[in-house]
Structure formats: C-alpha cells, structure tokens
C-alpha cells in the first residue's frame, strides 16, 4: 500500500477539510444503512492523514496536537463514526513513539507512512472495571509470545492492518502486542450494535494462542512510571470528536430551519429563520459550541507545551485542560444533538430524515468514560493542587 506523505500542519488541515466535505455527503446514508466506511477509510489512509504524528526524524510531519485535534473535529463534524475509527490508531502510534525501541520505531513508523492502519483490542467486558485486563501474554521458550483473551469495543480492528492488543504478562505488567490482522488464532467479529456510532464496527476480538514475535511487544506499563501524556492525547481526540458532533448538529439544524421549518404562527414572521425565539436558541447553542471549540484548542496547546517540556506539573496541567475540554464538549454534543428537534419542529422527528443520528452519536460516544470523574479531578486540582492520577484515562 502507498500513501501520500503530508509535510506540515497547514497541508494536514487542508487535506482534512477536503476529506470532511467529501465524507459529509454520504454520512447519513452510511449510518441509516449501517454501511461500513471501507472506501472512506482507504481514502483517509491514502491521504496521508494517518501518518501526520510520525516524528520528523522518521519522515513524518510530526504535527502539533492542536492540529491533530482540529483534524478530528473536522472529520467528526462530517461523520463522527468515521472520525472515531482512527482514534486508537493515533493512540498506538504514540505508544510506539513513547516505548518503542529504535528498531520498532523504524519499522512501525514505516508501516504508518505507507498507509497501514492500527486498530485496537483494549477493553474487556464482564471484568471488575475497565482496567481489569485479563488477556494474557505468555512467554514461549524461543522468546516469542502467545496471546489469549477476548476483547470488546475494538474500534478499528475490523479495518486494521495491525491490531495493538493490551495484555498482561506473567509478572502482571501491561504490555501492548502489535498483531497483524491475519495472524492465526485471531478473529475479529463485527457484532457492534450500538444505537449510535453505528459504523465504527466496534465489535469483538478473540485471541486463541495467537503467536506474537518478541519484537512486536512493547512495555506499556513503563509509560505510567513518570510524567506522561498518553491519556491526555487519547482524551483530547475524544473531546475533538464530541466538539465535532456538536458543530455538525448545529450546522444541520440551521440548514433545516432555513430551508424546511415553518415559523410558529404567533411569531408574526414569514420564515422560521426570522423567529426571534429560534434566533435566541441558536445563539445560545452557538455560544456552547464555540466554548467547546475554544476549550479544545486550549487543551491541545497545553498538551503541546507539555510535550516540549514534560514534567509532573506540565503533564498535570495538560491532563486537567483536556479533562475540562472533554466535559464541556460532551455536554454540548448531547445538548446540540437533542436541540436539533427542539428548533426544527415536528417534521425533524421523521426517521427517514435521520436527524436523530447526531444525538445518538453524541449519547453513545460520550459514554466512553464518565465526565463526573473528570470534574472530580479538576476540582481536586484547583482546590488542593492534587495532580490527576497516571492511569491513562485522563
């Protein structure tokens, strides 16, 4: 496979805007029919966007996190399911950057630059909590490993060339094993049936003594032994998706009101777009969306600053800024998705119009992790100076 190599932040954003416009056209139909976006993902990979965080020393653009967040916001404003699929890709490119050996970085960055995609096999169902990982990485006499376990919510795995698998070794430490999509004993099942984010194919991955070469395993537990941005980067992209959902919902609501809604008879105006009460509500929603976008930019800049000078303090500041952005964007996405009906009128409820996809996507995507715990960490930081924990979800 070959892909274009993007050279800088400006080009990355230009490509993202163009692809977002292209993907927006078929987003509603893909959702309604649950038609998986294979062709669109191929376009995304060929565009070079999936390689924009590869370090410059390995031939990549190494764009700012502010740029990466904007890429995700743009894509999510067009199709949030499509935008979610590469989120794990960038997370696990970051793992290679952080914990890979020079040889592993050379190999995997080369794969990414050529257009190959990372999925994920991380979460498990039925365990005590999300960090109770029971998939096992067992050493073999020749130095290689085998993987055994079952993963759920494996967004991107169905479309991936490589599937990073989070597993515990015999010493119970967390590792990431990068497994080729066609490895023996690995099965990807398209059984995701969520009400929203319908086309992410976030299904099940089964691992039955899957062989893994020694040089395809990275010591993920080392990431959390010092200042780290693993969680901040991952959560920043989730926040960008929520901000994109909110912006996309607001834009579609405005277009619907301008072209299809009727004014309420008591308003005394000729068109719905002239109704002063609707104008008021759109103003309120626009302020919320703009605030989410501003918090997203601020959070991304905090992550960029921490990357340039990584300490416990800068990492904490970045994590708190991202947490604030994520809380606000999640609330705004759900509100904007619901307000589509409030401002558009009865006709907006027609299933054939599929306007409800914005709310369904927002309500589903914002379930990734509870905002209430982010608020707790923000409050502890502001009131008592307590740094957030290094668990990778903040």
């Amino acid at each position: 496979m070959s892909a274009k190599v993007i050279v800088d932040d400006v080009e990355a954003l230009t490509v993202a805007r163009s692809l977002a416009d292209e993907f927006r056209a078929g987003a509603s139909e893909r959702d309604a029919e649950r038609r998986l976006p294979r062709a669109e993902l191929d376009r995304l990979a060929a565009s070079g966007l999936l390689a924009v965080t590869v370090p410059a020393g390995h031939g990549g653009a190494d764009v700012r996190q502010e740029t990466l967040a904007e890429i995700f916001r743009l894509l999510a404003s067009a199709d949030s399911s499509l935008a979610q699929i590469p989120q794990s890709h960038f997370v696990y490119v970051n793992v290679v950057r952080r914990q890979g050996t020079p040889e592993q970085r050379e190999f995997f960055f080369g794969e990414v630059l050529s257009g190959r995609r990372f999925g994920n096999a991380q979460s498990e169902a039925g365990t005590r909590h999300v960090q109770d990982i029971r998939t096992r990485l067992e050493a073999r006499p020749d130095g290689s490993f085998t993987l055994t376990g079952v993963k759920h919510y494996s967004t991107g795995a169905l479309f991936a060339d490589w599937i990073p698998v989070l597993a515990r070794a015999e010493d119970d430490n967390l590792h990431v094993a990068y497994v080729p999509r066609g490895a023996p004993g690995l099965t990807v099942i398209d059984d995701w049936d969520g009400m929203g984010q319908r086309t992410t194919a976030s299904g099940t991955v089964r691992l039955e003594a899957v062989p893994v070469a020694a040089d395809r395993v990275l010591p993920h537990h080392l990431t959390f032994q010092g200042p780290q941005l693993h969680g901040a980067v991952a959560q920043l992209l989730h926040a960008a998706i929520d901000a994109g959902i909110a912006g996309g919902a607001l834009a579609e609501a405005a277009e619907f009101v301008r072209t299809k809604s009727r004014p309420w008879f008591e308003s005394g105006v000729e068109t719905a777009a002239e109704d002063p009460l609707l104008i008021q509500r759109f103003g309120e929603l626009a302020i919320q969306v703009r605030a989410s976008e501003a918090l997203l930019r601020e959070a991304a800049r905090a992550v960029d600053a921490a990357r340039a000078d990584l300490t416990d303090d800068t990492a904490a500041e970045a994590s708190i800024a991202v947490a604030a952005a994520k809380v606000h964007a999640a609330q705004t996405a759900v509100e904007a998705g619901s307000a589509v009906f409030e401002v558009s009128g009865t006709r907006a409820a027609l299933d054939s119009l599929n306007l409800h996809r914005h709310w369904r996507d927002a309500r589903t995507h914002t379930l990734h992790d509870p905002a209430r715990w982010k608020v707790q960490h923000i409050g502890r930081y502001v009131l008592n100076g307590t740094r957030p924990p290094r668990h990778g979800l903040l």
Side-chain angles (χ1 to χ4, degrees):
M1 183 177 184
S2 62
K4 177 182 173 60
V5 177
I6 289 174
V7 299
D8 59 23
D9 296 68
V10 173
E11 184 181 9
L13 289 173
T14 299
V15 171
R17 291 188 190 99
S18 177
L19 285 178
D21 288 341
E22 179 182 327
F23 295 156
R24 184 175 290 107
S28 179
E29 289 78 8
R30 285 192 296 273
D31 173 87
E33 299 168 8
R34 199 183 175 275
R35 177 161 42 88
L36 300 182
R38 296 182 186 276
E40 289 77 14
L41 287 170
D42 287 343
R43 287 275 296 117
L44 185 64
S47 76
L49 277 184
L50 297 183
V52 294
T53 59
V54 170
H58 289 270
D62 199 10
V63 301
R64 299 186 304 274
Q65 294 301 294
E66 184 178 358
T67 297
L68 185 62
E70 179 64 4
I71 289 169
F72 270 78
R73 190 195 67 80
L74 288 166
L75 294 176
S77 72
D79 183 341
S80 61
S81 286
L82 182 55
Q84 187 182 338
I85 292 169
Q87 189 267 348
S88 291
H89 169 90
F90 284 98
V91 168
Y92 285 104
V93 170
N94 200 36
V95 170
V96 173
R97 181 176 188 145
R98 174 83 179 190
Q99 296 301 340
T101 64
E103 294 77 17
Q104 287 171 327
R105 290 172 187 159
E106 182 177 2
F107 175 77
F108 282 118
F109 289 152
E111 290 286 280
V112 173
L113 284 167
S114 71
R116 292 186 173 86
R117 303 190 285 258
F118 293 166
N120 99 89
Q122 179 170 291
S123 295
E124 299 179 12
T127 57
R128 290 182 301 119
H129 49 70
V130 295
Q131 292 206 320
D132 181 17
I133 302 298
R134 300 182 183 181
T135 297
R136 306 308 298 186
L137 181 71
E138 299 179 4
R140 301 174 68 183
D142 63 0
S144 66
F145 299 89
T146 59
L147 278 169
T148 301
V150 180
K151 299 289 189 177
H152 298 82
Y153 313 118
S154 302
T155 304
L158 190 68
F159 314 106
D161 300 289
W162 291 91
I163 301 178
V165 180
L166 193 62
R168 293 195 183 276
E170 293 172 359
D171 59 6
D172 216 36
N173 283 324
L174 280 175
H175 290 69
V176 176
Y178 288 71
V179 181
R181 175 69 172 79
L186 184 149
T187 306
V188 180
I189 305 168
D190 179 20
D191 58 358
W192 169 243
D193 66 348
M195 68 172 182
Q197 299 296 87
R198 286 178 171 175
T199 61
T200 60
S202 302
T204 302
V205 171
R206 296 188 179 277
L207 305 137
E208 300 176 7
V210 175
V212 184
D215 61 356
R216 298 293 180 259
V217 177
L218 282 71
H220 191 41
H221 62 283
L222 298 181
T223 298
F224 307 104
Q225 293 184 4
Q228 54 82 35
L229 297 170
H230 177 81
V233 170
Q235 291 294 310
L236 180 70
L237 302 186
H238 282 309
I241 292 169
D242 290 340
I245 293 172
L250 181 62
E252 187 155 3
E255 177 65 15
F256 192 93
V257 169
R258 283 193 297 265
T259 61
K260 296 181 177 65
S261 293
R262 297 182 298 178
W264 184 243
F265 72 96
E266 292 178 284
S267 67
V269 297
E270 294 296 317
T271 68
E274 298 172 286
D275 184 331
L277 298 183
L278 284 180
I279 289 171
Q280 175 73 18
R281 185 62 175 132
F282 270 97
E284 293 167 350
L285 291 168
I287 290 168
Q288 290 295 98
V289 171
R290 283 173 176 256
S292 288
E293 292 171 357
L295 284 168
L296 181 69
R297 287 190 296 271
E298 178 183 288
R301 290 167 186 166
V303 174
D304 281 326
R307 287 179 70 194
D309 179 23
L310 187 59
T311 67
D312 282 327
D313 288 338
T314 61
E317 187 61 36
S319 290
I320 292 300
V322 171
K326 181 67 172 67
V327 169
H328 197 280
Q331 293 171 344
T332 303
V334 172
E335 181 178 359
S338 177
V340 168
F341 306 100
E342 173 192 340
V343 298
S344 300
T346 307
R347 185 182 176 190
L350 293 177
D351 191 57
S352 59
L353 295 176
N354 201 23
L355 292 178
H356 48 67
R357 74 184 185 281
H358 299 293
W359 182 86
R360 288 187 290 100
D361 287 344
R363 187 62 283 175
T364 301
H365 183 259
T366 56
L367 296 176
H368 266 86
D369 45 87
R372 58 187 176 272
W373 275 99
K374 296 183 187 302
V375 175
Q376 281 285 309
H377 291 304
I378 294 168
R380 292 170 184 171
Y381 184 73
V382 172
L383 186 60
N384 299 315
T386 305
R387 296 187 186 115
R390 297 174 180 164
H391 54 44
L393 293 173
L394 191 68

